[in-house]
Amino acid sequence: GAFLVVRDITSYKAMQEDLLFQALTDELTSLYNRRGFKIMAEQELRHCQRLDTDVVLLSIDIDAFKVINDTFGHGEGDRVLRLVAKTLRSSFRSTDIIARWGGDEFLVLALDAPIGTVDILTDRFKQSLVDISRTNALPFTIEVTVGCSSREGKTLMSLEQMVQHADRAMYANKRR
């Protein structure tokens, strides 16, 4: 005789996928969170180094975000975060890695993007924020400050170093 046990694990697999999604994404914006960004970016940086392609990392901070929260409330602040996330998704390529790094700061790892394209990328994104501010009839215009770090081809620079460099550049731009 034979004994057979059959078990439907469909709901278990769905729960596993849901937990993985929750562990790697930001709940408010549905962008990658820090953990998700690090996992994806580290993999892509290794891939880009092997293929000898350029990579640009943008550090983006929403200007006057505290004022928005204090003046219009946290609900409006959350709305701004979601609008920035939506604009990031539409302004950058689907192959680029986008994350809410924390608070009102976002990171974009633009793959196979030469350093000369940074101004084009950031200008397009900033203009899209102006447009989305008007379209959504916000009582203010969403503005951001951007810092950049790049890694050319086989240059050895870790993700952590790129983030630190882009952050320093962003804060230097904020002081201007």
Side-chain angles (χ1 to χ4, degrees), residues 34 56-65 88 99-108 118 122 125-126 143-150 161-176:
R34 275 181 185 255
V56 170
L57 178 76
L58 301 176
S59 177
I60 301 163
D61 189 74
I62 301 173
D63 296 339
F65 187 70
L88 283 166
R100 180 175 174 208
W101 193 242
D104 64 336
E105 191 171 338
F106 298 83
L107 293 180
V108 176
V118 170
T122 58
F125 171 62
K126 287 180 177 183
E143 295 179 345
V144 296
T145 303
V146 180
C148 172
S149 175
S150 66
Q161 290 169 321
M162 289 186 76
V163 170
Q164 289 172 354
H165 187 267
D167 249 3
R168 281 194 298 272
M170 186 263 299
Y171 283 112
N173 289 339
K174 243 188 209 306
R175 287 189 292 273
R176 289 183 197 161

Side-chain angles (χ1 to χ4, degrees), residues 45-110:
L45 285 175
R46 284 190 296 274
H47 188 243
C48 288
Q49 187 171 8
R50 187 169 49 85
L51 296 176
D52 196 20
T53 58
D54 299 342
V55 178
V56 170
L57 178 76
L58 301 176
S59 177
I60 301 163
D61 189 74
I62 301 173
D63 296 339
F65 187 70
K66 183 177 179 352
V67 173
I68 293 169
N69 267 338
D70 292 348
T71 305
F72 301 100
H74 291 281
E76 190 68 4
D78 288 351
R79 180 177 176 213
V80 167
L81 292 170
R82 286 190 297 271
L83 287 171
V84 169
K86 177 182 177 183
T87 307
L88 283 166
R89 276 191 221 92
S90 65
S91 298
F92 293 92
R93 300 170 296 184
S94 62
T95 55
D96 296 335
I97 301 168
I98 306 169
R100 180 175 174 208
W101 193 242
D104 64 336
E105 191 171 338
F106 298 83
L107 293 180
V108 176
L109 186 67

